[in-house]
Amino acid sequence: MANDESEDTQPHSSHDFSRRGFLGAVGVAGGALALGDGKLGRLAALGGASARPAVPPTPPARSAAPFELEEATIADLQQGMASGKYTARAIAERYLARIDEMDKRGPAINQIIELNPDALAIADAMDAERKAGKVRGPMHGIPVLIKDNIATADRMQTTAGSLALVGSKVPRDAFVAQRLREAGAVILGKTNLSEWANFRSTHSSSGWSGRGGLSRNPYALDRTASGSSSGSGGATASNFAAVAIGTETDGSITSPAAACSLVGIKPTVGLVSRAGIVPISHTQDTAGPMARTVADAAALLSAISGVDARDAATARSRGHVVADYTKSLDPNGLRGARIGVAREHYTGYNTHTDKLLDAALAVMKAQGAVIVDPANIATAKKLDADEFEVLMWEFKTDLNAYLAELTESPVRTLADVIAFNAKNAAKEMPYFGQEIMEQSQKKGPLTGAKYKAILAKGKRLAGAQGIDATIAKYRLDAIVAPTQAPPVLTDLVNGDPGGGGSFTSPAAVAGYPHVTVPAGYVFGLPVGISFVGGAWSEATLIKLAYAYEQATKHRRPPRFLTTADLRREEGATD
């Protein structure tokens, strides 16, 4: 796309990521070491400008019976309950039947790790309250799925996908689960994930866990649903619930959201409490919404945000929390907005994705946005290696603290987890090992000067000298780039392949918000576009993402194809 405004007229550069763990390829101890969490594997490119092979026949779709609530929004479900067409119980029953038909049978996408035995009782209680004239808010009676690293003090387990935590008991609900219950949501069950949020091995396959097995992408069953919130992404895309909660350290909400044609919001660190969530990093972890529409994601974010005495980071959110993020839903929200395009380092790895980016920018310009292209983040290439070092330090300390709080547990430390995996290797490590855990175990306490220096450097490069500097230089409302390449083929033998890129690290390392929204499809495989801003800019990003969504309405439900339909037009946007 031609420059609309910028002093930077250098050609757009390309790059090659080699298995960027979180997506990142990071040189550590003389070797390329993949990071954990969502970036692990998301992305390889479908290829550049090479000749297209002979067109194969259209792949068959797996059984997917018509579903009465397909693509139903929170507003649709609330209207149905208000009119008497539905009850909360009837809605929950329909979603449970959908899960029964499709998660372990039919296309067998394997997104649910456990159903809540109390779900229908909760729905009945919400119906009784509604009948008595009490409606708690937009989430009243709405079925929600949550990732299996979010603690619930009920009859469900909280295992982060690991057999090592089967039988453990949490002392209380995670703050997020507590907020959902207070809002009247029906927690329908827990979703599968990349085990330990993908912070275990350099050769892992996203979406696989020892407890849950492999999650599959509903758009092409042989493709990754990405990670680590693979189950929350795949389940929401497949209409297993109205919305879901994922968690992210770097890409674990936004990557599976993009891979499953969803809206994902990674909030500013501190907007949503992490108390009761199995951790990787107290400086980067956050929970956030995954939904089929921006409106639903905004409603869910409103329900889970807030200050929590058990998470000190949330104290910073005082004065920044918006009570109702749905008030930012403006279809004209792009008019007059200044949108910067992060070309360098975040484009050029996939020609199909680049085409979708240019199409998205054309839409934004037509909607009245001022496009500053390029508006590169000067520090983009400097973030990954130090980020991984910080995460390895924090993982050991933070996980040990979480495990120590459990009222019952077979493991109490990271060292115990490592020993458990080694003893149960046939079940826990049939495809990949635990090198990241072993390296993290060797790290010292968080009081060391080296850790503090690397942490401060990363925050400075991603924040003040990265996102903040770019926004100030070009006077931007947001920075955009493709979220990542189309989802890659699943490979349990070699792990997640490289060859693609992602736009997750700047916001992740800085602790800033990131919203991804569907941008179209490449051979039927979803691609998202990301809106990133400064700290506490969720309301602005939601406004921009909503305006783009309403102008394009790219999302369509999956067809559960056995493999991608390579007969489709390259760069198809719908």
Side-chain angles (χ1 to χ4, degrees), residues 266-318:
K266 184 206 84 76
T268 304
V269 172
L271 187 71
V272 177
S273 171
R274 290 81 53 83
I277 298 176
V278 182
I280 290 178
S281 160
H282 64 273
T283 60
Q284 290 187 204
D285 288 351
T286 184
M290 302 178 74
R292 293 182 293 271
T293 68
V294 176
D296 284 357
L300 186 54
L301 182 62
S302 303
I304 63 175
S305 301
V307 177
D308 175 19
R310 293 181 55 232
D311 183 355
T314 63
R316 299 193 299 267
S317 71
R318 293 186 188 278

Side-chain angles (χ1 to χ4, degrees), residues 110-152:
N110 200 37
Q111 310 294 0
I112 307 300
I113 208 165
E114 183 173 5
L115 290 172
N116 186 359
D118 301 320
L120 294 181
I122 296 170
D124 287 340
M126 293 304 102
D127 284 332
E129 287 190 9
R130 186 181 293 272
K131 188 174 181 180
K134 178 182 179 181
V135 176
R136 301 188 187 195
M139 295 304 299
H140 189 108
I142 300 298
V144 179
L145 288 164
I146 65 176
K147 190 175 178 180
D148 181 40
N149 60 352
I150 300 172
T152 52

Side-chain angles (χ1 to χ4, degrees), residues 68-154:
E68 182 180 354
L69 300 180
E70 183 167 88
E71 302 294 286
T73 65
I74 289 173
D76 293 335
L77 297 176
Q78 287 295 352
Q79 184 179 12
M81 287 186 285
S83 69
K85 179 180 180 180
Y86 297 122
T87 61
R89 182 186 181 95
I91 291 170
E93 287 176 336
R94 283 164 171 78
Y95 281 122
L96 289 170
R98 171 81 165 179
I99 292 168
D100 181 63
E101 291 171 1
M102 302 191 66
D103 192 58
K104 302 298 186 286
R105 299 187 291 153
I109 57 174
N110 200 37
Q111 310 294 0
I112 307 300
I113 208 165
E114 183 173 5
L115 290 172
N116 186 359
D118 301 320
L120 294 181
I122 296 170
D124 287 340
M126 293 304 102
D127 284 332
E129 287 190 9
R130 186 181 293 272
K131 188 174 181 180
K134 178 182 179 181
V135 176
R136 301 188 187 195
M139 295 304 299
H140 189 108
I142 300 298
V144 179
L145 288 164
I146 65 176
K147 190 175 178 180
D148 181 40
N149 60 352
I150 300 172
T152 52
D154 53 16

Side-chain angles (χ1 to χ4, degrees), residues 22-23 37-43 111 147 192-194 198 206-207 215 217-219 224-237 245-248 250-264 289-291 483-485 487 504 516 518 526-528 555:
F22 266 106
L23 257 175
D37 197 43
K39 288 180 79 172
L40 205 126
R42 315 182 246 237
L43 328 281
Q111 310 294 0
K147 190 175 178 180
N192 199 6
L193 69 159
S194 307
N198 226 354
S206 292
S215 296
N217 191 309
Y219 287 85
T224 181
S226 196
S228 64
S229 304
S230 50
S232 295
T236 305
I245 300 290
T247 67
E248 175 164 330
D250 187 331
S252 274
I253 291 170
T254 49
S255 176
C260 295
S261 200
L262 296 175
V263 176
M290 302 178 74
T483 309
Q484 62 191 34
T504 61
T516 182
V527 172
R555 176 176 161 80

